[in-house]
Amino acid sequence: MTTLLIRRLRVEELPETMELVLRVFMEFEAPEYSQEGVEEFKRFIAVEAMEPPLRSGERPVWCCVEDGKIVGMIALRDKSHVCLLFVDKAYQRRGIARALFEAASQGLATMTVFSSPYAVEAYRHLGFVPTDTEQTVNGLRFTPMRYERATAV
């Protein structure tokens, strides 16, 4: 049995990670988007666009690794907004998204996300609730959602 490891992404792993993101996006999310939305997403995840904020720490990224292979990832912007959360198809429904979310949300009381139509239910399972109706910006369809960590009484 192999062990899944959750850790911060290294800059040199960015190309492999963005390939995973694009592969999962194209299979599960792109069918729900216009061509404009697909192209906008591809621009957002381009290695040359992702590398500077990753390198500077402005966009922290955590990954899930099994046997040296990246099988999932989560990225934040503005310290508490999930801007990417993707898990390889073969590894979905194994708690990886939750483990990535827990790693990224350490010490945060609230988080937000603009969930794709495909991922709304997954975010609900993580504890996010919609804060508005579905919107479309630059061809990207999303539902604004918010997570608030329960506090002990």
Side-chain angles (χ1 to χ4, degrees), residues 4-128:
L4 296 171
L5 170 68
I6 305 291
R7 63 167 171 76
R8 292 293 285 267
L9 186 76
R10 295 188 283 266
V11 173
E12 63 270 15
E13 297 169 318
L14 195 56
E16 173 189 356
T17 304
M18 292 304 103
E19 286 175 18
L20 162 74
V21 169
L22 182 60
R23 187 174 62 250
V24 175
F25 173 83
M26 292 306 290
E27 181 171 356
F28 295 102
E29 300 191 38
E32 299 285 328
Y33 285 76
S34 66
Q35 188 60 37
E36 176 192 18
V38 171
E39 294 306 316
E40 180 72 15
F41 185 80
K42 286 179 178 180
R43 278 190 293 278
F44 180 76
I45 66 163
V47 171
E48 55 275 6
M50 293 291 293
E51 187 175 333
L54 173 64
R55 197 176 286 283
S56 72
E58 177 187 331
R59 182 168 296 138
V61 179
W62 288 260
C63 61
C64 179
V65 181
E66 181 184 59
D67 295 331
K69 176 184 171 192
I70 294 174
V71 299
M73 63 80 66
I74 188 171
L76 301 183
R77 71 172 164 87
D78 301 328
K79 298 189 172 123
S80 62
H81 180 83
V82 177
C83 60
L84 296 169
L85 175 55
F86 286 85
V87 176
D88 185 275
K89 179 181 180 177
Y91 291 83
Q92 291 180 6
R93 302 197 184 281
R94 292 177 45 186
I96 292 171
R98 180 171 297 282
L100 287 163
F101 172 69
E102 289 301 324
S105 68
Q106 291 264 316
L108 297 174
T110 63
M111 293 186 78
T112 58
V113 68
F114 294 154
S115 177
S116 68
Y118 177 80
V120 168
E121 284 308 308
Y123 281 110
R124 283 184 193 273
H125 286 292
L126 292 173
F128 283 79

Side-chain angles (χ1 to χ4, degrees), residues 137-153:
V137 175
N138 296 329
L140 296 173
R141 293 176 52 204
F142 64 90
T143 299
M145 301 181 82
R146 182 177 180 88
Y147 170 86
E148 294 194 29
R149 191 173 302 281
T151 55
V153 183

